[in-house]
Amino acid sequence: MGIYLNPSADGLAEILEGGPYVDKTELIAYTNSVLGISKKLTCFSRPRRFGKSFAAKMLAAYYSKGADSGKLFADLKIAHTKDAGFEKNLNQYDVIFLDIAWFISNSGDIKSTVDDIQSEVLEELREAFPDCVRENIKSLPKALLQISAKTRRKFFIVIDEWDALFREAKEDAELQKSYIRLLRGLFKGAQVSQYIIGAYMTGILPIKKYGTQSALTDFREFTMLEPGILAEFVGFTEEEVLNLCAEYGIDFHETKKWYDLSEQ
């Protein structure tokens, strides 16, 4: 059994220790600002190597009741950002963290991925919330609703690479439909606000690429072409690259040529 419910801060700790680390923790100020309101569902779509998974692990470490991450954030920007709700929301929520690519890689048969997600998370929920989830319940959204009804607790859900199943099972329409039913159950409907305080998903391509608008229309999506107010929190800004080059003794203009074809 993995740890999908209330993960520790180990993922963030490894990132900070691995270096070099560029501080993107002010993203938390935004997610705090939309907790529990109609804009509480956020999706960030970017190509690979833009730090999406780093951000997902950071948010899980910040919100998770299973983490004690105050010391990890103490020297980071968010801890010193005025009116960001840092202390108020630190390690205050039940977090469910799902890495869809991991589920696919560790499934004996990709067709069982959706069933695996639900059964494995349900196992942890039953252990953490005994007597809250009826034994005949096989649906993750129904289980979350039952838990919330009995405990009044809400969940913050983090899904990394939510679209991995679409990419890995391009021709399996039935599996895709099953997955969309799960996402629709989790994030769409009048009862969702009873058990979800917020959500953050990452993906490679925009939601509309997969024709899933009907299931995920409640998400506010930030894409490569329309990054909106969160542009600086995924990938490096020019100022950040300048600072990194200065720190490690690398020529900035040479570095820019690696990534900017107009310079070649």
Side-chain angles (χ1 to χ4, degrees):
M1 184 172 69
I3 301 178
Y4 316 112
L5 175 66
N6 289 333
S8 70
D10 289 352
L12 176 62
E14 289 181 359
I15 292 170
L16 295 176
E17 292 169 4
Y21 176 72
V22 177
D23 191 340
K24 299 290 184 177
T25 57
E26 287 174 306
L27 170 62
I28 294 170
Y30 171 77
T31 55
N32 279 348
S33 74
V34 296
L35 284 177
I37 66 174
S38 60
K39 297 179 180 180
K40 62 182 174 290
L41 307 179
T42 302
C43 184
F44 234 131
S45 57
R46 286 288 194 286
R48 296 185 186 278
R49 305 307 177 203
F50 270 78
K52 301 187 303 296
S53 294
F54 279 17
K57 291 177 181 178
M58 175 188 71
L59 291 173
Y62 172 71
Y63 288 114
S64 175
K65 281 188 172 184
D68 182 9
S69 55
K71 290 182 179 179
L72 292 177
F73 285 101
D75 295 326
L76 300 177
K77 291 178 181 178
I78 187 60
H80 308 285
T81 300
K82 186 178 180 181
D83 300 325
F86 173 71
E87 293 287 350
K88 177 183 177 181
N89 296 298
L90 177 66
N91 303 141
Q92 292 299 304
Y93 301 102
D94 292 298
V95 169
I96 294 176
F97 185 96
L98 304 176
D99 181 343
I100 304 303
W102 186 93
F103 272 102
I104 294 171
S105 298
N106 290 278
S107 175
D109 182 352
I110 193 172
K111 291 181 180 294
S112 70
T113 302
V114 176
D115 290 337
D116 289 346
I117 291 171
Q118 298 201 84
S119 64
E120 293 187 28
V121 178
L122 278 169
E123 185 178 351
E124 291 195 6
L125 288 172
R126 286 194 171 99
E127 183 176 326
F129 301 97
D131 303 321
C132 285
V133 183
R134 297 194 302 270
E135 284 301 319
N136 66 328
I137 294 297
K138 307 297 181 184
S139 162
L140 177 55
K142 287 182 179 179
L144 296 180
L145 185 60
Q146 287 185 2
I147 292 168
S148 182
K150 290 190 175 184
T151 66
R152 301 301 179 189
R153 287 160 71 166
K154 294 188 178 184
F155 294 83
F156 191 97
I157 299 180
V158 180
I159 302 182
D160 195 18
E161 290 201 56
W162 81 270
D163 56 347
L165 201 56
F166 284 93
R167 292 183 274 111
E168 298 295 330
K170 295 186 181 74
E171 310 302 324
D172 195 331
E174 286 305 311
L175 178 58
Q176 292 178 15
K177 288 178 183 178
S178 176
Y179 183 46
I180 286 300
R181 282 195 296 271
L182 171 59
L183 295 177
R184 183 181 292 115
L186 282 172
F187 300 121
K188 197 170 183 65
Q191 299 187 88
V192 169
S193 60
Q194 295 182 38
Y195 60 83
I196 287 185
I197 191 72
Y200 183 88
M201 295 200 315
T202 76
I204 289 181
L205 294 174
I207 288 172
K208 65 181 180 181
K209 168 68 177 179
Y210 304 101
T212 60
Q213 296 95 322
S214 61
L216 301 174
T217 49
D218 291 338
F219 272 86
R220 185 177 184 186
E221 187 171 22
F222 299 88
T223 68
M224 189 78 173
L225 296 179
E226 298 180 357
I229 60 175
L230 302 188
E232 65 184 284
F233 301 126
V234 177
F236 294 158
T237 65
E238 184 167 306
E239 181 181 356
E240 288 167 345
V241 176
L242 277 166
N243 292 335
L244 285 169
C245 288
E247 181 179 353
Y248 290 93
I250 300 172
D251 184 88
F252 170 75
H253 296 290
E254 282 298 313
T255 303
K256 189 175 182 180
K257 288 180 182 178
W258 300 344
Y259 298 98
D260 189 348
L261 294 179
S262 67
E263 295 279 322
Q264 300 179 14

